[in-house]
Amino acid sequence: DQQVKQNSPSLSVQEGRISILNCDYTNSMFDYFLWYKKYPAEGPTFLISISSIKDKNEDGRFTVFLNKSAKHLSLHIVPSQPGDSAVYFCAAMSGATNKLIFGTGTLLAVQP
Amino acid sequence: KAGVTQTPRYLIKTRGQQVTLSCSPISGHRSVSWYQQTPGQGLQFLFEYFSETQRNKGNFPGRFSGRQFSNSRSEMNVSTLELGDSALYLCASSLTGFSGELFFGEGSRLTVL
C-alpha cells in the first residue's frame, strides 16, 4: 500500500519556465511533509518542508503548496534551471519521528 | 564538517550470504536511520536508532537488523541474502530525530547474485 504517491515518473521543462511536481498521500495522520532532491551517485538532500498547519512555504525559487482536503502537495520551481535536473522525492511523516514515508520519485529534466 | 559516511560503497554477494553495512553520522548527530532504495519502490524505511536504541522499525523481515554504538555509528546487517535484497542502502543522520530533515550518505550499493 503506497501511502505517498508521485504519479509522474518524469517531467521535462524548458529553462526559465515553471516546474510543478505533484505528490498525493492517503494517510490523514501525516502532519509534516518534505521534498528531497537526489542527483545520481549521491544521497538525497533536503530541499523544503511544510507543516500541516500551513498551506504554503517558500524558499527562494522553491515553493511547496499543501492542500489537506485533497491530500495533495506540490513543489513549484520558478524559474527552472538546468542544475535543477534531478530526481525529486516527496516524503511524509506523522508525529515526532524520523520515520519518513517516501514517494517513488519524479525525474525532472530542465532543458537549456 | 564531514558528512555522513557509508562503507562499503559497492559490494557483491551471493544468495545465502550475509552482509554488514556501516554508517558514520555527522558529528553530534544522535539519530541514524536506514532506508532501502530500489527501482520503482522509492525509499523504504528500515529502522531508526537514537542513543543506541531502536526507536522505529519498518516493514522488513527479521533478516534485516541493525545497531548503534555509543559514538552514534551504526551498522545494519542482512542475513541469508536473497536476490531481491539487491538495492541501494542509504543511511541518514539528524541531530535529534524529530524534524524529518535528514542528512543522507551516498549509500552502499549491494548486488546479490
Side-chain angles (χ1 to χ4, degrees):
Chain A
D1 176 30
Q2 195 74 27
Q3 297 185 68
V4 177
K5 300 178 184 177
Q6 294 177 257
N7 292 318
S8 298
S10 62
L11 175 68
S12 182
V13 300
Q14 289 294 122
E15 181 178 4
R17 307 294 290 269
I18 184 171
S19 294
I20 300 177
L21 297 100
N22 294 304
C23 181
D24 297 294
Y25 62 96
T26 58
N27 190 340
S28 58
M29 297 299 292
F30 288 145
D31 55 10
Y32 199 69
F33 304 88
L34 308 96
W35 285 93
Y36 280 81
K37 178 170 71 174
K38 186 180 187 300
Y39 293 116
E42 294 184 12
T45 55
F46 168 74
L47 195 55
I48 192 169
S49 61
I50 187 167
S51 165
S52 60
I53 63 173
K54 294 185 174 182
D55 55 17
K56 176 182 174 182
N57 188 26
E58 197 171 348
D59 184 2
R61 296 186 297 115
F62 302 90
T63 303
V64 56
F65 296 92
L66 175 62
N67 183 332
K68 283 183 62 180
S69 61
K71 293 191 176 66
H72 176 84
L73 66 154
S74 61
L75 174 68
H76 292 209
I77 306 174
V78 183
S80 301
Q81 299 173 353
D84 296 329
S85 298
V87 177
Y88 289 78
F89 292 96
C90 69
M93 57 190 272
S94 61
T97 172
N98 264 348
K99 181 178 179 179
L100 298 184
I101 308 299
F102 282 86
T104 52
T106 296
L107 174 61
L108 173 66
V110 180
Q111 310 296 335
Chain B
K1 193 175 189 182
V4 177
T5 304
Q6 292 189 243
T7 56
R9 290 292 313 280
Y10 304 91
L11 64 167
I12 300 174
K13 294 284 187 179
T14 57
R15 280 181 299 174
Q17 287 187 310
Q18 74 165 13
V19 66
T20 299
L21 308 177
S22 179
C23 172
S24 293
I26 292 172
S27 178
H29 285 194
R30 297 170 64 190
S31 168
V32 174
S33 305
W34 289 90
Y35 289 82
Q36 180 196 66
Q37 184 185 7
T38 54
Q41 292 291 319
L43 283 77
Q44 293 187 288
F45 176 81
L46 282 155
F47 26 66
E48 186 227 356
Y49 288 87
F50 184 85
S51 294
E52 302 179 67
T53 301
Q54 187 182 87
R55 282 203 303 198
N56 280 295
K57 191 177 188 304
N59 298 323
F60 279 81
R63 300 185 297 107
F64 292 81
S65 63
R67 59 178 175 168
Q68 186 181 32
F69 302 95
S70 58
N71 61 358
S72 292
R73 191 177 70 84
S74 177
E75 288 182 348
M76 69 162 282
N77 183 77
V78 188
S79 62
T80 320
L81 285 166
E82 301 176 359
L83 295 179
D85 296 334
S86 295
L88 180 67
Y89 290 88
L90 291 159
C91 168
S93 74
S94 70
L95 198 59
T96 62
F98 296 118
S99 68
E101 296 174 22
L102 307 180
F103 294 82
F104 282 88
E106 294 177 322
S108 293
R109 172 74 63 183
L110 170 66
T111 301
V112 182
L113 301 176

